[in-house]
Amino acid sequence: MAGIGPVSQDWEPVVIRKKAPTAAAKKDEKVVNAARRMGAEIETIKKSTAGTNKAASSSTTLNTRKLDDETENLHHDRVPTELKKAIMQARMDKKLTQSQLAQMINEKPQIVQEYESGKAIPNQQVITKLERALGAKLRGKK
């Protein structure tokens, strides 16, 4: 390396500094007291929910009013009386129990029980299975 030429540095020096104070550090009690001693202006803002146990989103007056104004009844359709009577009658004519009928249509016995008591939400696939198993038309008698 001795006879090649002058040796020089081809990179810039790097200067490392401390990070700028974060917003939380600016609000620190020590920093605020030091600023007061120096005579700097300090802005203080009182938060509306400060010192209380309420969340910022706990204002439920709008939601409560909407719920009070709501008059629409929301409920699921149930099995009509004609359908449940038709299912029961067709099952009795075939001399089947609810469990036997449920097994024939590959459903739980509880499904047949709910249809016959009128508590089930009508499902066209289940009604079709019942019609095939019982050999009777259950829909369209209106």
Side-chain angles (χ1 to χ4, degrees):
M1 286 220 167
I4 298 176
V7 177
S8 65
Q9 210 175 357
D10 61 344
W11 60 81
E12 297 293 321
V14 177
V15 178
I16 299 174
R17 295 188 181 131
K18 289 185 176 181
K19 291 181 184 176
T22 61
K26 290 178 186 175
K27 296 176 187 175
D28 190 18
E29 189 177 348
K30 291 179 184 177
V31 175
V32 172
N33 287 338
R36 282 186 182 141
R37 277 188 236 113
M38 293 172 67
E41 284 189 33
I42 299 172
E43 182 181 351
T44 56
I45 301 171
K46 171 102 171 93
K47 292 187 178 180
S48 61
T49 57
T52 63
N53 200 15
K54 291 183 179 179
S57 63
S58 68
S59 60
T60 58
T61 55
L62 293 175
N63 292 337
T64 308
R65 188 175 303 123
K66 284 180 185 176
L67 287 172
D68 288 343
D69 293 342
E70 187 65 44
T71 58
E72 185 179 355
N73 291 330
L74 303 173
H75 57 84
H76 293 289
D77 291 334
R78 298 287 181 215
V79 175
T81 309
E82 304 87 40
L83 179 61
K84 66 182 187 178
K85 285 181 182 177
I87 293 171
M88 267 192 265
Q89 188 62 46
R91 181 177 59 81
M92 296 292 195
D93 291 345
K94 289 255 186 176
K95 297 181 181 164
L96 296 171
T97 64
Q98 288 179 345
S99 299
Q100 290 170 335
L101 178 59
Q103 194 170 16
M104 287 174 68
I105 64 170
N106 293 325
E107 294 287 347
K108 294 180 183 176
Q110 181 182 0
I111 300 292
V112 175
Q113 183 180 359
E114 287 176 354
Y115 269 83
E116 287 188 1
S117 66
K119 294 179 183 175
I121 298 170
N123 182 343
Q124 296 305 315
Q125 291 177 327
V126 174
I127 295 172
T128 303
K129 287 182 189 178
L130 286 167
E131 285 178 336
R132 285 186 190 147
L134 295 171
K137 185 166 179 160
L138 302 174
R139 293 176 281 189
K141 292 187 176 183
K142 294 179 181 177

PDB file of all heavy atoms in Angstrom, residues 15-33:
ATOM      1  N   VAL A  15     -23.277  12.290  13.243  1.00  0.00           N
ATOM      2  CA  VAL A  15     -23.485  12.956  14.516  1.00  0.00           C
ATOM      3  C   VAL A  15     -24.681  12.295  15.194  1.00  0.00           C
ATOM      4  O   VAL A  15     -25.769  12.231  14.618  1.00  0.00           O
ATOM      5  CB  VAL A  15     -23.736  14.472  14.315  1.00  0.00           C
ATOM      6  CG1 VAL A  15     -23.990  15.152  15.637  1.00  0.00           C
ATOM      7  CG2 VAL A  15     -22.578  15.094  13.581  1.00  0.00           C
ATOM      8  N   ILE A  16     -24.499  11.824  16.420  1.00  0.00           N
ATOM      9  CA  ILE A  16     -25.574  11.165  17.166  1.00  0.00           C
ATOM     10  C   ILE A  16     -26.069  12.120  18.231  1.00  0.00           C
ATOM     11  O   ILE A  16     -25.291  12.662  19.022  1.00  0.00           O
ATOM     12  CB  ILE A  16     -25.067   9.851  17.800  1.00  0.00           C
ATOM     13  CG1 ILE A  16     -24.597   8.912  16.696  1.00  0.00           C
ATOM     14  CG2 ILE A  16     -26.156   9.214  18.641  1.00  0.00           C
ATOM     15  CD1 ILE A  16     -23.959   7.654  17.203  1.00  0.00           C
ATOM     16  N   ARG A  17     -27.401  12.333  18.247  1.00  0.00           N
ATOM     17  CA  ARG A  17     -28.015  13.233  19.225  1.00  0.00           C
ATOM     18  C   ARG A  17     -29.105  12.497  19.980  1.00  0.00           C
ATOM     19  O   ARG A  17     -29.611  11.467  19.531  1.00  0.00           O
ATOM     20  CB  ARG A  17     -28.633  14.438  18.512  1.00  0.00           C
ATOM     21  CG  ARG A  17     -27.636  15.307  17.832  1.00  0.00           C
ATOM     22  CD  ARG A  17     -28.314  16.566  17.315  1.00  0.00           C
ATOM     23  NE  ARG A  17     -27.334  17.384  16.626  1.00  0.00           N
ATOM     24  CZ  ARG A  17     -27.492  17.905  15.433  1.00  0.00           C
ATOM     25  NH1 ARG A  17     -28.614  17.721  14.785  1.00  0.00           N
ATOM     26  NH2 ARG A  17     -26.546  18.636  14.881  1.00  0.00           N
ATOM     27  N   LYS A  18     -29.524  13.084  21.079  1.00  0.00           N
ATOM     28  CA  LYS A  18     -30.642  12.517  21.834  1.00  0.00           C
ATOM     29  C   LYS A  18     -31.931  12.747  21.074  1.00  0.00           C
ATOM     30  O   LYS A  18     -32.055  13.681  20.291  1.00  0.00           O
ATOM     31  CB  LYS A  18     -30.756  13.175  23.209  1.00  0.00           C
ATOM     32  CG  LYS A  18     -29.672  12.812  24.172  1.00  0.00           C
ATOM     33  CD  LYS A  18     -29.972  13.440  25.517  1.00  0.00           C
ATOM     34  CE  LYS A  18     -28.963  13.029  26.545  1.00  0.00           C
ATOM     35  NZ  LYS A  18     -29.265  13.619  27.845  1.00  0.00           N
ATOM     36  N   LYS A  19     -32.909  11.898  21.361  1.00  0.00           N
ATOM     37  CA  LYS A  19     -34.225  12.059  20.740  1.00  0.00           C
ATOM     38  C   LYS A  19     -34.900  13.319  21.275  1.00  0.00           C
ATOM     39  O   LYS A  19     -34.690  13.713  22.422  1.00  0.00           O
ATOM     40  CB  LYS A  19     -35.137  10.872  21.067  1.00  0.00           C
ATOM     41  CG  LYS A  19     -34.744   9.589  20.425  1.00  0.00           C
ATOM     42  CD  LYS A  19     -35.729   8.516  20.813  1.00  0.00           C
ATOM     43  CE  LYS A  19     -35.335   7.170  20.282  1.00  0.00           C
ATOM     44  NZ  LYS A  19     -36.253   6.129  20.740  1.00  0.00           N
ATOM     45  N   ALA A  20     -35.750  13.898  20.457  1.00  0.00           N
ATOM     46  CA  ALA A  20     -36.545  15.040  20.895  1.00  0.00           C
ATOM     47  C   ALA A  20     -37.545  14.549  21.930  1.00  0.00           C
ATOM     48  O   ALA A  20     -38.018  13.404  21.863  1.00  0.00           O
ATOM     49  CB  ALA A  20     -37.275  15.661  19.716  1.00  0.00           C
ATOM     50  N   PRO A  21     -37.888  15.366  22.909  1.00  0.00           N
ATOM     51  CA  PRO A  21     -38.831  14.902  23.938  1.00  0.00           C
ATOM     52  C   PRO A  21     -40.204  14.593  23.339  1.00  0.00           C
ATOM     53  O   PRO A  21     -40.690  15.300  22.465  1.00  0.00           O
ATOM     54  CB  PRO A  21     -38.904  16.079  24.915  1.00  0.00           C
ATOM     55  CG  PRO A  21     -38.376  17.259  24.177  1.00  0.00           C
ATOM     56  CD  PRO A  21     -37.441  16.731  23.141  1.00  0.00           C
ATOM     57  N   THR A  22     -40.806  13.519  23.811  1.00  0.00           N
ATOM     58  CA  THR A  22     -42.131  13.130  23.335  1.00  0.00           C
ATOM     59  C   THR A  22     -43.189  14.004  23.993  1.00  0.00           C
ATOM     60  O   THR A  22     -42.897  14.767  24.912  1.00  0.00           O
ATOM     61  CB  THR A  22     -42.403  11.658  23.677  1.00  0.00           C
ATOM     62  OG1 THR A  22     -42.367  11.513  25.095  1.00  0.00           O
ATOM     63  CG2 THR A  22     -41.395  10.727  23.028  1.00  0.00           C
ATOM     64  N   ALA A  23     -44.408  13.863  23.516  1.00  0.00           N
ATOM     65  CA  ALA A  23     -45.514  14.666  24.068  1.00  0.00           C
ATOM     66  C   ALA A  23     -45.722  14.349  25.550  1.00  0.00           C
ATOM     67  O   ALA A  23     -46.000  15.236  26.355  1.00  0.00           O
ATOM     68  CB  ALA A  23     -46.788  14.399  23.289  1.00  0.00           C
ATOM     69  N   ALA A  24     -45.559  13.086  25.919  1.00  0.00           N
ATOM     70  CA  ALA A  24     -45.736  12.704  27.322  1.00  0.00           C
ATOM     71  C   ALA A  24     -44.643  13.325  28.179  1.00  0.00           C
ATOM     72  O   ALA A  24     -44.890  13.772  29.302  1.00  0.00           O
ATOM     73  CB  ALA A  24     -45.730  11.191  27.454  1.00  0.00           C
ATOM     74  N   ALA A  25     -43.409  13.378  27.654  1.00  0.00           N
ATOM     75  CA  ALA A  25     -42.305  13.957  28.417  1.00  0.00           C
ATOM     76  C   ALA A  25     -42.489  15.469  28.578  1.00  0.00           C
ATOM     77  O   ALA A  25     -42.074  16.047  29.576  1.00  0.00           O
ATOM     78  CB  ALA A  25     -40.983  13.654  27.734  1.00  0.00           C
ATOM     79  N   LYS A  26     -43.108  16.120  27.584  1.00  0.00           N
ATOM     80  CA  LYS A  26     -43.349  17.555  27.677  1.00  0.00           C
ATOM     81  C   LYS A  26     -44.356  17.878  28.773  1.00  0.00           C
ATOM     82  O   LYS A  26     -44.354  18.953  29.332  1.00  0.00           O
ATOM     83  CB  LYS A  26     -43.858  18.097  26.336  1.00  0.00           C
ATOM     84  CG  LYS A  26     -42.821  18.107  25.253  1.00  0.00           C
ATOM     85  CD  LYS A  26     -43.416  18.605  23.955  1.00  0.00           C
ATOM     86  CE  LYS A  26     -42.419  18.494  22.822  1.00  0.00           C
ATOM     87  NZ  LYS A  26     -43.015  18.858  21.536  1.00  0.00           N
ATOM     88  N   LYS A  27     -45.248  16.938  29.054  1.00  0.00           N
ATOM     89  CA  LYS A  27     -46.279  17.150  30.068  1.00  0.00           C
ATOM     90  C   LYS A  27     -45.825  16.692  31.448  1.00  0.00           C
ATOM     91  O   LYS A  27     -46.577  16.773  32.401  1.00  0.00           O
ATOM     92  CB  LYS A  27     -47.551  16.394  29.678  1.00  0.00           C
ATOM     93  CG  LYS A  27     -48.189  16.886  28.407  1.00  0.00           C
ATOM     94  CD  LYS A  27     -49.368  16.045  28.037  1.00  0.00           C
ATOM     95  CE  LYS A  27     -49.925  16.423  26.678  1.00  0.00           C
ATOM     96  NZ  LYS A  27     -50.998  15.546  26.249  1.00  0.00           N
ATOM     97  N   ASP A  28     -44.609  16.173  31.544  1.00  0.00           N
ATOM     98  CA  ASP A  28     -44.097  15.671  32.816  1.00  0.00           C
ATOM     99  C   ASP A  28     -44.065  16.806  33.842  1.00  0.00           C
ATOM    100  O   ASP A  28     -43.795  17.967  33.510  1.00  0.00           O
ATOM    101  CB  ASP A  28     -42.697  15.089  32.597  1.00  0.00           C
ATOM    102  CG  ASP A  28     -42.191  14.345  33.809  1.00  0.00           C
ATOM    103  OD1 ASP A  28     -43.020  13.989  34.662  1.00  0.00           O
ATOM    104  OD2 ASP A  28     -40.971  14.110  33.884  1.00  0.00           O
ATOM    105  N   GLU A  29     -44.297  16.476  35.082  1.00  0.00           N
ATOM    106  CA  GLU A  29     -44.392  17.481  36.154  1.00  0.00           C
ATOM    107  C   GLU A  29     -43.084  18.255  36.309  1.00  0.00           C
ATOM    108  O   GLU A  29     -43.094  19.478  36.505  1.00  0.00           O
ATOM    109  CB  GLU A  29     -44.752  16.781  37.468  1.00  0.00           C
ATOM    110  CG  GLU A  29     -45.076  17.732  38.592  1.00  0.00           C
ATOM    111  CD  GLU A  29     -45.510  17.003  39.853  1.00  0.00           C
ATOM    112  OE1 GLU A  29     -45.769  15.797  39.790  1.00  0.00           O
ATOM    113  OE2 GLU A  29     -45.569  17.659  40.895  1.00  0.00           O
ATOM    114  N   LYS A  30     -41.944  17.572  36.188  1.00  0.00           N
ATOM    115  CA  LYS A  30     -40.644  18.251  36.330  1.00  0.00           C
ATOM    116  C   LYS A  30     -40.450  19.288  35.228  1.00  0.00           C
ATOM    117  O   LYS A  30     -39.986  20.395  35.473  1.00  0.00           O
ATOM    118  CB  LYS A  30     -39.515  17.224  36.268  1.00  0.00           C
ATOM    119  CG  LYS A  30     -39.454  16.308  37.455  1.00  0.00           C
ATOM    120  CD  LYS A  30     -38.333  15.306  37.295  1.00  0.00           C
ATOM    121  CE  LYS A  30     -38.325  14.320  38.433  1.00  0.00           C
ATOM    122  NZ  LYS A  30     -37.284  13.303  38.266  1.00  0.00           N
ATOM    123  N   VAL A  31     -40.812  18.933  34.011  1.00  0.00           N
ATOM    124  CA  VAL A  31     -40.644  19.835  32.874  1.00  0.00           C
ATOM    125  C   VAL A  31     -41.549  21.053  33.028  1.00  0.00           C
ATOM    126  O   VAL A  31     -41.143  22.189  32.775  1.00  0.00           O
ATOM    127  CB  VAL A  31     -40.942  19.089  31.551  1.00  0.00           C
ATOM    128  CG1 VAL A  31     -40.884  20.029  30.367  1.00  0.00           C
ATOM    129  CG2 VAL A  31     -39.969  17.938  31.360  1.00  0.00           C
ATOM    130  N   VAL A  32     -42.767  20.822  33.478  1.00  0.00           N
ATOM    131  CA  VAL A  32     -43.718  21.919  33.656  1.00  0.00           C
ATOM    132  C   VAL A  32     -43.228  22.861  34.757  1.00  0.00           C
ATOM    133  O   VAL A  32     -43.254  24.098  34.603  1.00  0.00           O
ATOM    134  CB  VAL A  32     -45.127  21.370  33.983  1.00  0.00           C
ATOM    135  CG1 VAL A  32     -46.072  22.495  34.369  1.00  0.00           C
ATOM    136  CG2 VAL A  32     -45.675  20.593  32.800  1.00  0.00           C
ATOM    137  N   ASN A  33     -42.745  22.317  35.866  1.00  0.00           N
ATOM    138  CA  ASN A  33     -42.230  23.163  36.957  1.00  0.00           C
ATOM    139  C   ASN A  33     -41.009  23.966  36.513  1.00  0.00           C
ATOM    140  O   ASN A  33     -40.861  25.143  36.869  1.00  0.00           O
ATOM    141  CB  ASN A  33     -41.892  22.307  38.174  1.00  0.00           C
ATOM    142  CG  ASN A  33     -43.140  21.825  38.889  1.00  0.00           C
ATOM    143  OD1 ASN A  33     -44.208  22.424  38.755  1.00  0.00           O
ATOM    144  ND2 ASN A  33     -43.021  20.750  39.641  1.00  0.00           N
TER     145      ASN A  33
END
